[in-house]
Amino acid sequence: MDAFYQSPPSYDAIREKICQIKREFPFVRNFSVGSSLLGRGLFALSLGNVHNACFVCGAVHGMEWLTSLVCLRFFEEVAKAYREKQCIAGLDVHKAIAARGLVVVPCVNPDGVMLSLYGPETAGALRDKVLRIAPDGDTARWQANARGVDLNHNFNAGFAALKEMERRAGITRPAMTRYGGDYPGSEPESRALVQFCEAYRPENAVALHSQGEEIYYDYGPCTPVRSALIARLMAEAGGYQVLEPEGLASHGGFKDWFIDKLHRPGFTIEIGKGENPLPASDFPEVYPRVRDMLMVPLVL
Ligand SMILES: [Zn+2]
């Protein structure tokens, strides 16, 4: 296995990996869906029809960077199988891509990943703000973006209910995790996902998080009927569990917004098991199961 998948991915390493994928598979497209607060690119890779795609994103949360490795490896394997007319998990990738594209945004929150991996000095102009949130300078468990907004609490889905739950939990200001921001879509990273999905209307969307080996598919009355079946098939493919959301996690997330606004299947998959941040050494165990799971929304 490529050395890239054996260590935590810095922003530069992700960017270089995307260039390498583009060089190896000239038929894929690479573009950016926006920029982070600190001006880092929110890179995307796509294959096939972008307008009818399966959309997969990773690292919405800073210390969950293992999901970026999974996104990139999945895209790379799909591109290779497409070129060589091979199957993944017994499924015909060429046929799948002819019918439906694949778009991945491997790192939605590059500033958060850099904070988690390399500390407050990576936050540039926002370093002092970071140090107000983490006065001891320990940002190893940082989940939010560079100004302390949890991107997966910043989407326009049940936002008022989410803020009420935050208040009850004593979360009233920017923090390393779980502060949803002043208003939905206040952050450039969450806005970028919204704008991409509104423009291209993916057929389905999967946000990778860690950890727990769990799949969430439900968000209120707009949840498509087929979502439960897709979730069960993914669970079967990877040996994960399908769960209903509870508490703070149940509003303001990307998959909540995707279901509520586009009325299409949206999923959160909590990859791996252990304590976050999951180490890069978990990748060989975690990846093959997630790959088989991700084939389900790509072919269905
Ligand atoms: Zn997460």
Side-chain angles (χ1 to χ4, degrees), residues 88-105:
I88 295 178
L91 297 165
D92 184 336
V93 170
H94 211 269
K95 213 161 97 187
I97 293 296
R100 172 164 309 150
L102 171 65
V103 180
V104 304
V105 175

Side-chain angles (χ1 to χ4, degrees):
M1 172 87 56
D2 182 335
F4 173 77
Y5 297 107
Q6 293 170 15
S7 46
S10 68
Y11 171 70
D12 287 341
I14 289 173
R15 188 171 51 186
E16 178 46 40
K17 182 69 194 173
I18 286 171
C19 293
Q20 188 202 319
I21 291 173
K22 174 69 185 164
R23 281 194 302 273
E24 190 175 347
F25 307 103
F27 53 89
V28 310
R29 286 178 294 267
N30 62 334
F31 52 100
S32 124
V33 297
S35 295
S36 74
L37 267 180
L38 291 168
R40 295 185 175 110
L42 308 179
F43 305 125
L45 280 161
S46 80
L47 179 59
N49 184 2
V50 185
H51 288 275
N52 186 35
C54 167
F55 177 76
V56 182
C57 65
V60 175
H61 285 143
M63 71 168 156
E64 300 175 11
W65 44 260
L66 193 71
T67 57
S68 296
L69 298 184
V70 169
C71 285
L72 286 162
R73 184 66 187 146
F74 181 66
F75 188 88
E76 210 174 19
E77 269 206 84
V78 168
K80 185 166 185 289
Y82 177 77
R83 184 180 65 194
E84 288 163 23
K85 298 201 164 55
Q86 290 167 339
C87 291
I88 295 178
L91 297 165
D92 184 336
V93 170
H94 211 269
K95 213 161 97 187
I97 293 296
R100 172 164 309 150
L102 171 65
V103 180
V104 304
V105 175
C107 188
V108 173
N109 183 12
D111 300 347
V113 168
M114 290 300 281
L115 276 165
S116 159
L117 288 176
Y118 303 108
E121 298 306 320
T122 62
L126 291 172
R127 176 184 170 277
D128 289 351
K129 192 170 175 67
V130 165
L131 287 172
R132 280 198 293 278
I133 294 168
D136 59 359
D138 180 2
T139 53
R141 298 179 59 77
W142 192 279
Q143 293 281 55
N145 72 355
R147 62 177 167 211
V149 176
D150 189 321
L151 299 174
N152 213 40
H153 293 222
N154 190 238
F155 288 86
N156 192 14
F159 198 76
L162 177 72
K163 291 314 275 187
E164 183 50 39
M165 289 156 99
E166 277 181 13
R167 272 191 290 275
R168 280 202 300 264
I171 302 162
T172 56
R173 63 171 78 92
M176 286 206 277
T177 182
R178 297 203 302 162
Y179 174 69
D182 293 337
Y183 56 93
S186 61
E187 304 308 300
E189 298 91 347
S190 45
R191 270 200 313 276
L193 287 196
V194 165
Q195 282 162 4
F196 175 80
C197 290
E198 283 180 339
Y200 290 94
R201 303 182 63 82
E203 163 54 28
N204 53 50
V206 180
L208 297 180
H209 288 256
S210 70
Q211 49 76 47
E213 300 189 346
E214 290 156 355
I215 300 170
Y216 297 89
Y217 71 93
D218 183 65
Y219 188 70
C222 296
T223 308
V225 173
R226 63 188 183 282
S227 294
L229 175 63
I230 299 170
R232 285 202 301 274
L233 288 169
M234 286 197 288
E236 181 65 30
Y240 279 32
Q241 250 192 305
V242 178
L243 290 185
E244 308 282 325
E246 278 171 36
L248 268 186
S250 65
H251 294 292
F254 168 67
K255 83 122 179 37
D256 306 329
W257 173 84
F258 189 86
I259 294 168
D260 200 47
K261 293 300 181 299
L262 298 186
H263 301 189
R264 292 182 174 190
F267 305 92
T268 292
I269 302 182
E270 296 281 357
I271 71 164
K273 208 148 204 173
E275 195 184 325
N276 279 330
L278 295 179
S281 56
D282 282 6
F283 181 80
E285 205 300 293
V286 169
Y287 172 70
R289 294 166 69 187
V290 182
R291 172 196 58 208
D292 289 359
M293 280 192 272
L294 292 176
M295 285 306 291
V296 175
L298 187 63
V299 300
L300 266 189

